mmCIF file of all heavy atoms in Angstrom:
data_model
loop_
_atom_site.group_PDB
_atom_site.id
_atom_site.type_symbol
_atom_site.label_atom_id
_atom_site.label_comp_id
_atom_site.label_asym_id
_atom_site.label_seq_id
_atom_site.Cartn_x
_atom_site.Cartn_y
_atom_site.Cartn_z
ATOM 1 N N THR A 18 -14.073 11.185 13.005
ATOM 2 C CA THR A 18 -15.296 11.536 12.277
ATOM 3 C C THR A 18 -16.129 10.291 11.979
ATOM 4 O O THR A 18 -17.362 10.335 12.052
ATOM 5 C CB THR A 18 -14.937 12.281 10.976
ATOM 6 O OG1 THR A 18 -14.180 13.449 11.323
ATOM 7 C CG2 THR A 18 -16.161 12.670 10.194
ATOM 8 N N LEU A 19 -15.472 9.190 11.673
ATOM 9 C CA LEU A 19 -16.193 7.942 11.397
ATOM 10 C C LEU A 19 -16.816 7.339 12.656
ATOM 11 O O LEU A 19 -17.852 6.693 12.589
ATOM 12 C CB LEU A 19 -15.248 6.926 10.743
ATOM 13 C CG LEU A 19 -14.801 7.261 9.326
ATOM 14 C CD1 LEU A 19 -13.666 6.336 8.900
ATOM 15 C CD2 LEU A 19 -15.975 7.177 8.357
ATOM 16 N N ALA A 20 -16.195 7.543 13.794
ATOM 17 C CA ALA A 20 -16.704 6.978 15.046
ATOM 18 C C ALA A 20 -17.761 7.862 15.706
ATOM 19 O O ALA A 20 -18.635 7.355 16.414
ATOM 20 C CB ALA A 20 -15.551 6.748 16.024
ATOM 21 N N ALA A 21 -17.714 9.158 15.471
ATOM 22 C CA ALA A 21 -18.585 10.104 16.173
ATOM 23 C C ALA A 21 -20.077 9.802 16.049
ATOM 24 O O ALA A 21 -20.795 9.888 17.054
ATOM 25 C CB ALA A 21 -18.289 11.531 15.712
ATOM 26 N N PRO A 22 -20.599 9.434 14.876
ATOM 27 C CA PRO A 22 -22.043 9.149 14.811
ATOM 28 C C PRO A 22 -22.463 7.979 15.717
ATOM 29 O O PRO A 22 -23.555 8.000 16.285
ATOM 30 C CB PRO A 22 -22.289 8.798 13.343
ATOM 31 C CG PRO A 22 -21.147 9.380 12.601
ATOM 32 C CD PRO A 22 -19.987 9.377 13.548
ATOM 33 N N PHE A 23 -21.592 7.006 15.856
ATOM 34 C CA PHE A 23 -21.926 5.867 16.710
ATOM 35 C C PHE A 23 -21.901 6.265 18.185
ATOM 36 O O PHE A 23 -22.756 5.844 18.965
ATOM 37 C CB PHE A 23 -20.987 4.695 16.423
ATOM 38 C CG PHE A 23 -21.080 4.244 14.992
ATOM 39 C CD1 PHE A 23 -20.038 4.476 14.112
ATOM 40 C CD2 PHE A 23 -22.232 3.643 14.511
ATOM 41 C CE1 PHE A 23 -20.131 4.094 12.788
ATOM 42 C CE2 PHE A 23 -22.339 3.260 13.181
ATOM 43 C CZ PHE A 23 -21.289 3.481 12.328
ATOM 44 N N TRP A 24 -20.941 7.107 18.557
ATOM 45 C CA TRP A 24 -20.930 7.632 19.920
ATOM 46 C C TRP A 24 -22.192 8.448 20.185
ATOM 47 O O TRP A 24 -22.780 8.358 21.260
ATOM 48 C CB TRP A 24 -19.684 8.499 20.157
ATOM 49 C CG TRP A 24 -18.469 7.698 20.457
ATOM 50 C CD1 TRP A 24 -17.398 7.479 19.649
ATOM 51 C CD2 TRP A 24 -18.197 6.982 21.667
ATOM 52 N NE1 TRP A 24 -16.490 6.686 20.281
ATOM 53 C CE2 TRP A 24 -16.949 6.372 21.525
ATOM 54 C CE3 TRP A 24 -18.895 6.813 22.862
ATOM 55 C CZ2 TRP A 24 -16.375 5.599 22.526
ATOM 56 C CZ3 TRP A 24 -18.320 6.042 23.856
ATOM 57 C CH2 TRP A 24 -17.074 5.441 23.687
ATOM 58 N N ALA A 25 -22.602 9.248 19.197
ATOM 59 C CA ALA A 25 -23.815 10.056 19.363
ATOM 60 C C ALA A 25 -25.022 9.169 19.622
ATOM 61 O O ALA A 25 -25.854 9.482 20.490
ATOM 62 C CB ALA A 25 -24.036 10.939 18.135
ATOM 63 N N LEU A 26 -25.132 8.066 18.900
ATOM 64 C CA LEU A 26 -26.243 7.140 19.148
ATOM 65 C C LEU A 26 -26.186 6.567 20.560
ATOM 66 O O LEU A 26 -27.206 6.522 21.258
ATOM 67 C CB LEU A 26 -26.215 5.990 18.136
ATOM 68 C CG LEU A 26 -26.677 6.301 16.729
ATOM 69 C CD1 LEU A 26 -26.471 5.088 15.827
ATOM 70 C CD2 LEU A 26 -28.127 6.733 16.724
ATOM 71 N N LEU A 27 -25.012 6.112 20.983
ATOM 72 C CA LEU A 27 -24.884 5.504 22.308
ATOM 73 C C LEU A 27 -25.254 6.484 23.417
ATOM 74 O O LEU A 27 -25.871 6.104 24.413
ATOM 75 C CB LEU A 27 -23.447 5.007 22.534
ATOM 76 C CG LEU A 27 -22.927 3.922 21.597
ATOM 77 C CD1 LEU A 27 -21.469 3.610 21.911
ATOM 78 C CD2 LEU A 27 -23.773 2.673 21.652
ATOM 79 N N ILE A 28 -24.885 7.745 23.234
ATOM 80 C CA ILE A 28 -25.090 8.748 24.278
ATOM 81 C C ILE A 28 -26.470 9.399 24.180
ATOM 82 O O ILE A 28 -27.143 9.596 25.194
ATOM 83 C CB ILE A 28 -23.974 9.817 24.205
ATOM 84 C CG1 ILE A 28 -22.618 9.170 24.527
ATOM 85 C CG2 ILE A 28 -24.267 10.983 25.147
ATOM 86 C CD1 ILE A 28 -21.428 10.046 24.189
ATOM 87 N N LEU A 29 -26.905 9.733 22.964
ATOM 88 C CA LEU A 29 -28.109 10.538 22.793
ATOM 89 C C LEU A 29 -29.368 9.746 22.446
ATOM 90 O O LEU A 29 -30.469 10.274 22.577
ATOM 91 C CB LEU A 29 -27.868 11.601 21.706
ATOM 92 C CG LEU A 29 -26.702 12.556 21.984
ATOM 93 C CD1 LEU A 29 -26.466 13.457 20.784
ATOM 94 C CD2 LEU A 29 -26.957 13.356 23.253
ATOM 95 N N ALA A 30 -29.212 8.511 22.001
ATOM 96 C CA ALA A 30 -30.386 7.714 21.612
ATOM 97 C C ALA A 30 -30.359 6.330 22.253
ATOM 98 O O ALA A 30 -30.534 5.320 21.573
ATOM 99 C CB ALA A 30 -30.463 7.610 20.092
ATOM 100 N N PRO A 31 -30.142 6.272 23.573
ATOM 101 C CA PRO A 31 -30.115 4.957 24.215
ATOM 102 C C PRO A 31 -31.501 4.317 24.185
ATOM 103 O O PRO A 31 -32.509 4.999 24.318
ATOM 104 C CB PRO A 31 -29.680 5.272 25.646
ATOM 105 C CG PRO A 31 -30.112 6.671 25.866
ATOM 106 C CD PRO A 31 -29.990 7.355 24.525
#
Side-chain angles (χ1 to χ4, degrees):
T18 302
L19 291 169
F23 300 109
W24 279 107
L26 285 175
L27 298 177
I28 295 167
L29 301 174

